[in-house]
Amino acid sequence: MPDSWRLAVGTLTVLRGPAPRCVDRRTAGAAMLIAPLAVLPLGAGVALVLLAGRAAHLPPLVTGMLAVAVLVLGTRAFHVDGLSDTVDGLTASYDRERSLAAMRTGTSGPAGGAAVLLVLGLQATSMAWLAGQARGAVLVGTLVCVSRCALALTCLRGVPAARDDGLGAVFTESVPRLAAATSMLLSFVAVGLVTGWAGLPWWRGVIAVALGLVVTLLLVRRAVRRLGGVTGDVFGAAVELCLATLLVALAGATS
């Protein structure tokens, strides 16, 4: 467990700590399962920024954009880069090898750039809307953490790797199905409870999580069909899309 914790924190946040002594499939799978806990500092940071912006009477959208900036900086733009590369790869060609080559370049094309702009814009505006009251900021911080449950689905056993090298090769197929199901159940409970505490119908939180999981599974399915499997970039895209879905679904509950 110490190695899994070090791997999760070191991979998913900018927090510095000792490197894991052993990185095998079992360690990687455990790291993906505890990912929501490993990013608790990021969730807390987002909540604090939203609360500070509200206290300073900043324009809501400015506060939302600052909160997204905390996430981007707190992850070294790791997931945003994955979103951009994944979209570029899926739109570059119907040929698998050409798509994977486009994802490896590390440069953002028009499709990837547009996807990042759209997804981060949805996140910022939804955060601003939900943070209209103090408890809403805590709800947003919770959603940041829960969105990392998407990683358990991308690393689920039975979901192949698109290639044998790269970051994704170690993590792919590392999460047992029962463990992933347990993680999903806990995410339903956590978001339902915090949503109710924040003054919204608890069942809207459950629906939001369900939608987030559906979007993640659709992305995984598309990646497997087009690329032959998932990559580290797909992991990042899944996190960003899941978070955007959670935020938009619950922002709609406050309208």
Side-chain angles (χ1 to χ4, degrees):
M1 183 60 74
D3 279 345
S4 298
W5 183 259
R6 292 168 186 152
L7 181 61
V9 172
T11 303
L12 303 175
T13 75
V14 294
L15 298 178
R16 301 183 67 178
R21 297 191 182 107
C22 173
V23 180
D24 55 16
R25 191 143 298 196
R26 182 176 180 181
T27 302
M32 295 298 93
L33 288 170
I34 63 175
L37 297 177
V39 299
L40 276 172
L42 294 182
V46 167
L48 288 174
V49 168
L50 293 173
L51 289 171
R54 185 170 177 270
H57 303 291
L58 292 177
L61 185 55
V62 171
T63 303
M65 293 179 70
L66 289 174
V68 169
V70 167
L71 272 183
V72 173
L73 293 174
T75 59
R76 298 183 295 268
F78 182 61
H79 304 312
V80 173
D81 178 68
L83 172 64
S84 176
D85 287 344
T86 298
V87 174
D88 279 336
L90 292 176
T91 57
S93 170
Y94 284 105
D95 178 75
R96 174 180 177 274
E97 295 303 323
R98 289 183 63 185
S99 293
L100 289 173
M103 295 171 69
R104 282 179 173 176
T105 61
T107 58
S108 181
V116 169
L117 179 64
L118 175 61
V119 172
L120 295 190
L122 288 173
Q123 291 178 6
T125 52
S126 298
M127 286 182 183
W129 189 263
L130 286 169
Q133 49 135 340
R135 292 189 176 186
V138 178
L139 174 58
V140 171
T142 302
L143 296 180
V144 168
C145 296
V146 170
S147 66
R148 274 54 183 175
C149 287
L151 293 169
L153 295 180
T154 59
C155 300
L156 196 65
R157 286 183 183 169
V159 179
R163 54 177 183 251
D164 295 330
D165 60 344
L167 176 66
V170 178
F171 292 90
T172 306
E173 296 197 74
S174 63
V175 177
R177 291 179 178 269
L178 180 58
T182 302
S183 175
M184 299 306 111
L185 179 60
L186 290 174
S187 68
F188 277 110
V189 173
V191 175
L193 288 175
V194 178
T195 300
W197 173 79
L200 299 174
W202 65 268
W203 52 269
R204 293 298 295 258
V206 173
I207 291 177
V209 173
L211 290 174
L213 298 182
V214 168
V215 168
T216 302
L217 289 172
L218 288 175
L219 172 65
V220 171
R221 182 169 178 257
R222 182 62 174 169
V224 171
R225 286 191 169 188
R226 285 276 285 101
L227 307 174
V230 294
T231 67
D233 288 327
V234 176
F235 299 168
V239 168
E240 294 295 345
L241 291 174
C242 183
L243 177 57
T245 302
L246 290 170
L247 290 167
V248 170
L250 279 175
T254 65
S255 59

